[in-house]
Amino acid sequence: MDGGTLYSIGELARRTGLTVKTIRFYSDRGIVAPADRTHAGYRRYAPDAVARLALVRTLRELGLGLDMIRRVVDQELTLSDVAAEHAVALDVQISVLRLRRAVLTAAATREPTPKEMALMHQLATLSAAERRRLIEGFLDAVFAGLPGGGRHAAVRRSMTPELPATPTDEQVRAWMELAELSLDPDFRAGVRRLAEDHVAGLPDGAPTSPRPDLVAAARELVGPAVVSGISPDSPQADPVVAALAARCALVHDRPDDAELRRWMLHRLEAASDPRRDRYLQLLALINDWPAPERLAPVLDWSVTALRLRAAR
């Protein structure tokens, strides 16, 4: 049949699985031109139109536009060039769709107001530069003007989220929540107080040189008591509290007295904000770091134990 035989548009439709209307549409746009016409004006197509239409159908299913398809079948563009260009365009579309899905998924779980929904969408679609500026604004609010500014560079880096170029839905949702948290004035003020306490030390003007963090000491000394199930109001908790106070007194070169313990209580209460734990969890998720140890149980135990003993 291929030896000079021409196909009617109906025969071409049966061979390709496309409708007559679709083939006529492609023919009118010069993508599959007829090889001849009958005396009555009916179109006739060469056998290679079958393969041409199969390629057109594939490219359309892949989402290519008609102009690009025409250039491919006319060999103005190679398939590899078109595939590479279209893959890049699809990457952009996929990224946009992923962001939209993340926003909608987050909205479905929290019932936001229209204003909150708009903020979520805005935060999800920020550029990399805009995300950096947002986080730098948060970190500036926390660390700007504190003594020994150079010492805070490493801490700033450890608190900086870096959303990957192709984030997962979970990472996008984590970014939105972390960004909202970093914009919260109350959270900013709380983290700022933690930074000030860490730098300033005791309230009576202790030196501002670096010193081991009280929270780290609580993690080390109180953590085992929490794991062991020791209640903060039990006699078994007394040596744990004493060890924590002794460590603090040694680090700050101060006596273990009521003033020291009041400062310890103040410091640990400020650190026990559950939003601090949440920020670190979200940060680890965004940066693909191991999940951090939750400090809330240790801090809650320490605060309760100090309060009970201060009241005695």
Side-chain angles (χ1 to χ4, degrees), residues 94-107 110 119-126 131 161-181 278 281-288:
I94 289 168
S95 177
V96 171
L97 289 173
R98 181 180 289 117
L99 291 174
R100 290 176 181 171
R101 183 173 64 178
V103 172
L104 291 172
T105 302
R110 58 188 289 183
L119 176 61
M120 290 165 61
H121 180 262
Q122 177 187 358
L123 294 176
T125 55
L126 292 178
R131 289 196 299 270
E162 295 287 349
L163 195 65
T166 55
T168 64
D169 291 353
E170 193 177 19
Q171 285 174 314
V172 174
R173 291 195 296 271
W175 157 254
M176 288 190 293
E177 185 178 345
L178 182 143
E180 286 186 279
L181 195 56
R278 185 59 180 162
Q281 291 165 0
L282 295 168
L283 180 67
L285 181 56
I286 294 167
N287 289 355
D288 200 22

Side-chain angles (χ1 to χ4, degrees), residues 138-147 185-199:
F138 164 63
L139 295 175
D140 285 345
V142 172
F143 294 108
L146 293 179
D186 185 60
F187 179 68
R188 286 189 173 203
V191 180
R192 171 71 182 198
R193 286 192 296 271
L194 283 176
E196 290 172 341
D197 284 346
H198 182 63
V199 170

Side-chain angles (χ1 to χ4, degrees), residues 202 204 245-246 248-250 252-261:
L202 294 174
D204 66 349
C248 188
L250 177 64
H252 292 280
D253 193 23
R254 295 290 302 232
D256 179 1
D257 55 14
E259 181 182 358
L260 175 74
R261 296 200 178 200

Side-chain angles (χ1 to χ4, degrees), residues 205-240:
T208 58
S209 57
R211 55 176 64 87
D213 184 47
L214 176 58
V215 174
R219 182 194 295 116
E220 176 189 346
L221 299 173
V222 175
V226 174
V227 171
S228 299
I230 296 175
S231 174
D233 62 354
S234 68
Q236 291 85 352
D238 290 340
V240 179

Side-chain angles (χ1 to χ4, degrees), residues 77-100:
L77 292 173
T78 67
L79 277 174
S80 59
D81 289 341
V82 170
E85 182 177 337
H86 200 57
V88 171
L90 284 175
D91 283 341
V92 174
Q93 294 177 32
I94 289 168
S95 177
V96 171
L97 289 173
R98 181 180 289 117
L99 291 174
R100 290 176 181 171

Side-chain angles (χ1 to χ4, degrees), residues 45-76:
Y45 295 88
D48 65 358
V50 175
R52 193 176 179 98
L53 282 170
L55 175 59
V56 172
R57 183 175 190 170
T58 298
L59 296 178
R60 284 296 284 164
E61 289 175 349
L62 288 171
L64 270 68
L66 291 178
D67 181 63
M68 183 171 285
I69 290 174
R70 183 191 58 75
R71 296 176 67 190
V72 170
V73 295
D74 288 344
Q75 298 184 352
E76 294 177 15

